[in-house]
Amino acid sequence: TDKLRTAPGLSVVEPRGAMYVMVQVHPEAFTDLPDDQVFAQRLLKEEAVFVLPGAAFYAPNFFRVVFSGPEAKLNEAYDRIIEFCKRHAKTKTN
């Protein structure tokens, strides 16, 4: 999950013994992602990465990532999330 900390517009909540991590979405950091539900839908459509929107857990502007899968797949998913965030960020980064 450390890799996700480099994504613009996201804040990772440190997991406490769970098989998932909650990640906060800061909509003001993005040009066209106003909330967690749009974030999750667009991420799935554009990057083929599935995350659970926080709204499903009464946690708006968060999403949940399950990290019990193979490490190589998780790293690929994290890379895709980072690129997605960079592409939609108000301030472009490399």
Side-chain angles (χ1 to χ4, degrees):
T1 58
D2 286 341
K3 191 181 258 193
L4 281 179
R5 295 180 197 287
T6 67
L10 301 182
S11 297
V12 177
V13 177
E14 198 61 39
R16 295 186 179 170
M19 300 294 287
Y20 61 86
V21 64
M22 295 298 289
V23 180
Q24 185 174 12
V25 178
H26 301 283
E28 67 279 2
F30 299 105
T31 57
D32 56 352
L33 303 172
D35 60 42
D36 58 300
Q37 293 180 32
V38 173
F39 184 98
Q41 290 169 352
R42 299 275 304 271
L43 181 63
L44 180 60
K45 182 178 180 181
E46 295 178 26
E47 295 292 337
V49 174
F50 178 74
V51 296
L52 292 165
F57 308 100
Y58 302 102
N61 290 328
F62 281 83
F63 64 87
R64 187 166 96 169
V65 176
V66 176
F67 57 82
S68 60
E71 189 172 343
K73 288 288 184 188
L74 290 171
N75 281 323
E76 180 182 350
Y78 297 156
D79 288 341
R80 289 180 184 202
I81 292 170
I82 292 165
E83 289 307 310
F84 175 82
C85 289
K86 287 179 180 179
R87 198 167 51 250
H88 291 277
K90 284 183 180 175
T91 304
K92 299 298 181 192
T93 61
N94 291 329

